[in-house]
Structure formats: structure tokens, C-alpha cells
Amino acid sequence: MSSPVLTEGDSVPLLLSRPLAPDSGLLQAHIATMAANARYSNMGPLHDMLREALGAHLGAPHLALMANATLGLMLALRALKVGGEVITTPFTFAASAHAISWAGATPVFVDVEPGGVNIDAEAIAAAITPRTEAILAVHAFGLPCDCAALQKIATQHGLALVFDAAHAFDLRQNDQPIHRWGDATVYSTHATKLFHTAEGGVVVSRDAEINTAVQQLANFGFHAPGQASAIGLNAKMSEMHAALGLAVLPQVAQERAARVALRETYSRALAGVADITLLAATDDCTDSAQFLACRVADSRPESTRDEIVDDLHANGIDARAYFNPLSSSFPHYRDSGSVRFPLPHAKSAAKRVFCLPFHSGVSPRHVDSIARIIATHLSA
Ligand code: T4K
């Protein structure tokens, strides 16, 4: 284990993520409005203001605010009347597969692209059976799936297509929002995300009909006061969470720009370090500025990634090996018929990918130190 290398002036511990602070004047004003209105929930004025502001920000005419993205995924699947089996990726946060199960369907895991982190379109095509009703794909670490290929498969086979975009707030490809694909796309606005409401989520639907169904399901299934036409639940975003979102949204552009510059700094610092690759979206995409993920080369033993993460932790740096173990190895899924296909590329990603601190509190000195720790480990 290496000795600490961060020196005086570097702040440690260095957190993986640092929630964006709201504009405090704006937050106080919104809270005062909330109190004056005596309206704290049930789609009040702040909820509606945030929905409008996000619709404009994201370029999304059919948008619903949720208490969190996990509920958003569940309700998107329910709104699309998905049952049966849903083909999905194992290299993701637990919420993706759990949402499928809570929606009443069975996840079926297929592999990710060779050397990649996102679901493999060919593996999906090979896994479709008469019981398949949907595909749930994840833009892992803000890297876009091969959306055109997934859309083609979904259309050909009459499947619903839902994107888990928890890591991909405002991701754009060729100047188009990533939610232009599929029937529904779900963003998370959890505190760890670039834009946040402490807890929250956003469902962007393909059309008004799906959006209405999602909104009704999030409000107990009510289509008129007190009348439930579907088995809904309570997934409403409160006024307090909406107030926070309204005070965070104006801060997003500056933080995002800082993270784009930080990615460049990391990229330069790690350029000379053999056997580490930064995972970045292709040039036709915006940087969703949520995660900075790296991958250890296949030529290195699998233990290398965990050793590097341990070295970083020993130096007060919060690096993370997300999605290890894979969702497919959770006992419930392993034992209930969800794992039918080999998953070598997902297993490799789970052993080789890790995330580094990525927020405007990370200085160039931090990045130099991080690169030095990684290089030292790899040259030992
Ligand atoms: N789909 C995918 C692909 C997802 O990744 C997620 C969630 C979902 C769906 C579901 O979205 P939600 O239902 O949550 O909206 C986090 C988040 O809790 C979780 O939202 C997220 N994905 C997952 C990938 O990561 P941890 O375990 O990383 O959180 P934690 O508490 O260790 O914090 C990470 C870093 O952020 C640390 O450096 C501390 C810092 N932090 C965190 C919080 C919450 C703060 O400084 N302040 C804070 O308030 O789970």
C-alpha cells in the first residue's frame, strides 16, 4: 500500500461526488413561497414550475417528475403495460433490475458490448422469445447505448423500449436529446447526480398518452379526484424537492463546464499511464458530466483494479468500483431464471472499470496525485 501522496493544500478525503449547492437566496424564496401557499405536495406550483423548467432545459414536451428514478422506471414499464420478460443489462445499479421485478415482469440478463459497458444489441436479438415484452437499456456512466440498433430491434419485434438514463442527465447526441429514442427515458435527480433534487427522478415519454399514464400511476392511479383506473402508487415529487431543484438548476451549466474541463485534465494526466483508459462518449455527444469512469487493460490481472482502488482509498481518495457484483449475481435473480446467457463482457467490466472523483472540488493537484498513484501501482 502506498503512503499518502496528497500534500498540504489538497483537501482530503476527496469525495467521489459533491452535490451541487443550490442558490441559497433562490431556495429561501421558493421555500417562503411554499409556506405562504401552504402547499407542500400533490403537484403544487413549485412542482409545475420545475416540470416546465426541465421540459425546456431537456427539450422534452412529455415529462413527469417522480420521487426517485427507481419509481420512474417501475411506472414507465407499468404505463407501457409490460409484463412477461424484459431483456436488460447486468452491469448497472441494483435499481434497474429491481424496477423490472417491482413492475411485475422478469428481468433476463444479456451481455454488454465486448470491451464496453452498455447492453449489446446482438445479444438482445439472440435472447428474444415469445415471452419478451420489453428492453430496458442503461446509458452506463453517461455513455450512450447504440440507440438506433436497439430501436430497430424493438420496432421489428414489437417490444417496448425503456432507457435508464440515471447517469445521463441532458445527454445529447448529434444535438438531439438522448430521450428521443424509445418509449420512455428515466433520469435520476438523486443528490449524487449533476442536476439534483436530493431525491427525485424524471420520466420523459414518447407521447402524451404514455406521459398521462405515468403521471396517473404516480398519483395512486387517479384519473379524476378519488377515482383510480389503475393500480398506482405514490411517486409524487414534493414541493420541497421541487424548490431545491429550482434553486439547483441555474447552477448546472457552470458545474458542467467545470467537469468538462476536469475530464480534459484527467485525460492529459492519464495519457502517459499505460493500461488505463478513460471511458468517454464519442465526439458526437455532449459530456453528461456525471461520472469519470476508467478501465484497466485486459492484459493486467483482474485484481489490478481493486488494488488501485485500495491505493487511492489509502490516500483519502474516494474511488469506486460500481456494479460489482453484477445484478445477475444477486441471489434472487440467479435463482429465478433471469440468468440464461454467458455474460463474459459484463463480468470483465465489473472487474476492470472504476470511477474517480468528478466534481468542481477536484483540483489539478488532486488529478496529478491520482495519476501518480495509479502510475506508481502499474509500474510496480
Ligand atoms: N439506475 C441506475 C443506473 C442508477 O445508477 C441509479 C442510481 C438508479 C437507476 C436509481 O436512481 P434513484 O432511484 O436513486 O433516483 C448512489 C446513489 O444513491 C444512486 O442514486 C445511484 N444510482 C448510485 C450509482 O450511486 P452511492 O452508493 O454511490 O452513494 P453514496 O452515498 O456512497 O455517495 C456517493 C458520493 O457522493 C460520496 O462521495 C459521498 C457523496 N455524497 C452523497 C450524498 C447522497 C454527498 O457528498 N452528499 C450526499 O448527500 O449511491
Side-chain angles (χ1 to χ4, degrees), residues 91 111-119 140 143 279 295 345-346 348-350 353:
F91 187 67
D111 211 356
V112 301
E113 293 164 339
V117 291
N118 286 333
I119 197 163
L143 307 180
L279 306 185
R295 187 177 185 116
H345 304 301
S348 172
V353 173

mmCIF file of all heavy atoms in Angstrom, residues 91 111-119 140 143 279 295 345-346 348-350 353:
data_model
loop_
_atom_site.group_PDB
_atom_site.id
_atom_site.type_symbol
_atom_site.label_atom_id
_atom_site.label_comp_id
_atom_site.label_asym_id
_atom_site.label_seq_id
_atom_site.Cartn_x
_atom_site.Cartn_y
_atom_site.Cartn_z
ATOM 1 N N PHE A 91 -24.839 -5.028 -15.909
ATOM 2 C CA PHE A 91 -23.815 -4.074 -15.466
ATOM 3 C C PHE A 91 -24.488 -2.730 -15.210
ATOM 4 O O PHE A 91 -24.461 -1.814 -16.037
ATOM 5 C CB PHE A 91 -22.694 -3.946 -16.507
ATOM 6 C CG PHE A 91 -21.539 -3.113 -16.008
ATOM 7 C CD1 PHE A 91 -20.732 -3.554 -14.972
ATOM 8 C CD2 PHE A 91 -21.258 -1.875 -16.569
ATOM 9 C CE1 PHE A 91 -19.677 -2.786 -14.494
ATOM 10 C CE2 PHE A 91 -20.199 -1.093 -16.104
ATOM 11 C CZ PHE A 91 -19.413 -1.556 -15.061
ATOM 12 N N ASP A 111 -25.509 -9.884 -22.244
ATOM 13 C CA ASP A 111 -24.177 -9.301 -22.053
ATOM 14 C C ASP A 111 -24.089 -7.857 -22.569
ATOM 15 O O ASP A 111 -24.942 -7.403 -23.345
ATOM 16 C CB ASP A 111 -23.132 -10.177 -22.764
ATOM 17 C CG ASP A 111 -21.778 -10.139 -22.063
ATOM 18 O OD1 ASP A 111 -21.628 -9.380 -21.083
ATOM 19 O OD2 ASP A 111 -20.871 -10.879 -22.496
ATOM 20 N N VAL A 112 -23.034 -7.184 -22.145
ATOM 21 C CA VAL A 112 -22.718 -5.859 -22.688
ATOM 22 C C VAL A 112 -21.800 -6.035 -23.895
ATOM 23 O O VAL A 112 -21.320 -7.139 -24.176
ATOM 24 C CB VAL A 112 -22.063 -4.941 -21.622
ATOM 25 C CG1 VAL A 112 -22.980 -4.753 -20.428
ATOM 26 C CG2 VAL A 112 -20.703 -5.479 -21.179
ATOM 27 N N GLU A 113 -21.565 -4.940 -24.598
ATOM 28 C CA GLU A 113 -20.704 -4.986 -25.782
ATOM 29 C C GLU A 113 -19.282 -5.388 -25.381
ATOM 30 O O GLU A 113 -18.821 -5.005 -24.287
ATOM 31 C CB GLU A 113 -20.675 -3.601 -26.454
ATOM 32 C CG GLU A 113 -22.021 -3.222 -27.046
ATOM 33 C CD GLU A 113 -22.130 -1.740 -27.370
ATOM 34 O OE1 GLU A 113 -21.347 -0.942 -26.788
ATOM 35 O OE2 GLU A 113 -22.989 -1.384 -28.184
ATOM 36 N N PRO A 114 -18.576 -6.130 -26.240
ATOM 37 C CA PRO A 114 -17.197 -6.509 -25.900
ATOM 38 C C PRO A 114 -16.365 -5.269 -25.584
ATOM 39 O O PRO A 114 -16.344 -4.311 -26.369
ATOM 40 C CB PRO A 114 -16.695 -7.206 -27.174
ATOM 41 C CG PRO A 114 -17.935 -7.628 -27.899
ATOM 42 C CD PRO A 114 -19.010 -6.652 -27.543
ATOM 43 N N GLY A 115 -15.730 -5.272 -24.447
ATOM 44 C CA GLY A 115 -14.885 -4.136 -24.057
ATOM 45 C C GLY A 115 -15.671 -2.921 -23.630
ATOM 46 O O GLY A 115 -15.083 -1.884 -23.312
ATOM 47 N N GLY A 116 -17.018 -3.016 -23.601
ATOM 48 C CA GLY A 116 -17.837 -1.844 -23.305
ATOM 49 C C GLY A 116 -18.574 -1.966 -21.986
ATOM 50 O O GLY A 116 -18.305 -2.869 -21.187
ATOM 51 N N VAL A 117 -19.523 -1.047 -21.773
ATOM 52 C CA VAL A 117 -20.300 -1.046 -20.531
ATOM 53 C C VAL A 117 -21.805 -1.088 -20.792
ATOM 54 O O VAL A 117 -22.583 -1.191 -19.845
ATOM 55 C CB VAL A 117 -19.958 0.190 -19.650
ATOM 56 C CG1 VAL A 117 -18.555 0.095 -19.083
ATOM 57 C CG2 VAL A 117 -20.161 1.496 -20.413
ATOM 58 N N ASN A 118 -22.205 -0.990 -22.063
ATOM 59 C CA ASN A 118 -23.644 -0.942 -22.367
ATOM 60 C C ASN A 118 -24.130 -2.202 -23.062
ATOM 61 O O ASN A 118 -23.355 -2.900 -23.741
ATOM 62 C CB ASN A 118 -23.952 0.273 -23.249
ATOM 63 C CG ASN A 118 -23.903 1.570 -22.456
ATOM 64 O OD1 ASN A 118 -24.137 1.563 -21.243
ATOM 65 N ND2 ASN A 118 -23.587 2.662 -23.124
ATOM 66 N N ILE A 119 -25.416 -2.458 -22.936
ATOM 67 C CA ILE A 119 -26.038 -3.685 -23.452
ATOM 68 C C ILE A 119 -25.741 -3.868 -24.952
ATOM 69 O O ILE A 119 -25.703 -2.903 -25.717
ATOM 70 C CB ILE A 119 -27.565 -3.644 -23.174
ATOM 71 C CG1 ILE A 119 -28.190 -5.023 -23.297
ATOM 72 C CG2 ILE A 119 -28.269 -2.623 -24.064
ATOM 73 C CD1 ILE A 119 -29.577 -5.105 -22.624
ATOM 74 N N ALA A 140 -24.863 3.573 -19.289
ATOM 75 C CA ALA A 140 -23.993 3.482 -18.109
ATOM 76 C C ALA A 140 -22.923 4.582 -18.127
ATOM 77 O O ALA A 140 -22.281 4.827 -19.153
ATOM 78 C CB ALA A 140 -23.330 2.106 -18.056
ATOM 79 N N LEU A 143 -22.511 7.105 -20.983
ATOM 80 C CA LEU A 143 -22.108 6.730 -22.343
ATOM 81 C C LEU A 143 -23.347 6.193 -23.058
ATOM 82 O O LEU A 143 -24.011 5.295 -22.534
ATOM 83 C CB LEU A 143 -21.021 5.646 -22.322
ATOM 84 C CG LEU A 143 -19.781 5.942 -21.475
ATOM 85 C CD1 LEU A 143 -18.798 4.787 -21.556
ATOM 86 C CD2 LEU A 143 -19.110 7.218 -21.952
ATOM 87 N N LEU A 279 -13.059 6.206 -20.000
ATOM 88 C CA LEU A 279 -14.230 5.927 -20.829
ATOM 89 C C LEU A 279 -14.906 7.262 -21.139
ATOM 90 O O LEU A 279 -15.304 7.971 -20.219
ATOM 91 C CB LEU A 279 -15.207 5.009 -20.099
ATOM 92 C CG LEU A 279 -14.634 3.699 -19.564
ATOM 93 C CD1 LEU A 279 -15.745 2.838 -18.974
ATOM 94 C CD2 LEU A 279 -13.897 2.935 -20.654
ATOM 95 N N ARG A 295 -10.918 2.252 -17.197
ATOM 96 C CA ARG A 295 -10.877 0.804 -17.347
ATOM 97 C C ARG A 295 -9.423 0.342 -17.346
ATOM 98 O O ARG A 295 -8.570 0.927 -18.024
ATOM 99 C CB ARG A 295 -11.544 0.416 -18.657
ATOM 100 C CG ARG A 295 -11.701 -1.072 -18.814
ATOM 101 C CD ARG A 295 -12.434 -1.418 -20.110
ATOM 102 N NE ARG A 295 -12.642 -2.846 -20.125
ATOM 103 C CZ ARG A 295 -13.807 -3.453 -20.097
ATOM 104 N NH1 ARG A 295 -14.905 -2.750 -20.132
ATOM 105 N NH2 ARG A 295 -13.884 -4.766 -20.077
ATOM 106 N N HIS A 345 -18.447 -10.313 -20.956
ATOM 107 C CA HIS A 345 -18.011 -8.915 -21.094
ATOM 108 C C HIS A 345 -18.497 -8.066 -19.908
ATOM 109 O O HIS A 345 -17.805 -7.143 -19.472
ATOM 110 C CB HIS A 345 -18.478 -8.344 -22.433
ATOM 111 C CG HIS A 345 -17.999 -9.166 -23.591
ATOM 112 N ND1 HIS A 345 -16.656 -9.389 -23.832
ATOM 113 C CD2 HIS A 345 -18.678 -9.878 -24.532
ATOM 114 C CE1 HIS A 345 -16.530 -10.176 -24.889
ATOM 115 N NE2 HIS A 345 -17.735 -10.491 -25.332
ATOM 116 N N ALA A 346 -19.692 -8.396 -19.404
ATOM 117 C CA ALA A 346 -20.176 -7.689 -18.206
ATOM 118 C C ALA A 346 -19.303 -8.059 -17.010
ATOM 119 O O ALA A 346 -18.960 -7.193 -16.185
ATOM 120 C CB ALA A 346 -21.632 -8.052 -17.943
ATOM 121 N N SER A 348 -16.217 -8.877 -17.088
ATOM 122 C CA SER A 348 -14.937 -8.181 -17.253
ATOM 123 C C SER A 348 -15.077 -6.708 -16.833
ATOM 124 O O SER A 348 -14.229 -6.169 -16.102
ATOM 125 C CB SER A 348 -14.496 -8.313 -18.721
ATOM 126 O OG SER A 348 -13.394 -7.511 -18.953
ATOM 127 N N ALA A 349 -16.171 -6.066 -17.274
ATOM 128 C CA ALA A 349 -16.383 -4.656 -16.881
ATOM 129 C C ALA A 349 -16.466 -4.533 -15.357
ATOM 130 O O ALA A 349 -15.900 -3.610 -14.761
ATOM 131 C CB ALA A 349 -17.652 -4.115 -17.534
ATOM 132 N N ALA A 350 -17.162 -5.488 -14.718
ATOM 133 C CA ALA A 350 -17.325 -5.418 -13.258
ATOM 134 C C ALA A 350 -15.992 -5.540 -12.538
ATOM 135 O O ALA A 350 -15.841 -5.063 -11.412
ATOM 136 C CB ALA A 350 -18.279 -6.518 -12.792
ATOM 137 N N VAL A 353 -13.551 -1.865 -14.417
ATOM 138 C CA VAL A 353 -13.952 -0.454 -14.511
ATOM 139 C C VAL A 353 -14.007 0.148 -13.097
ATOM 140 O O VAL A 353 -14.402 -0.533 -12.141
ATOM 141 C CB VAL A 353 -15.330 -0.346 -15.204
ATOM 142 C CG1 VAL A 353 -15.852 1.086 -15.168
ATOM 143 C CG2 VAL A 353 -15.223 -0.846 -16.651
#
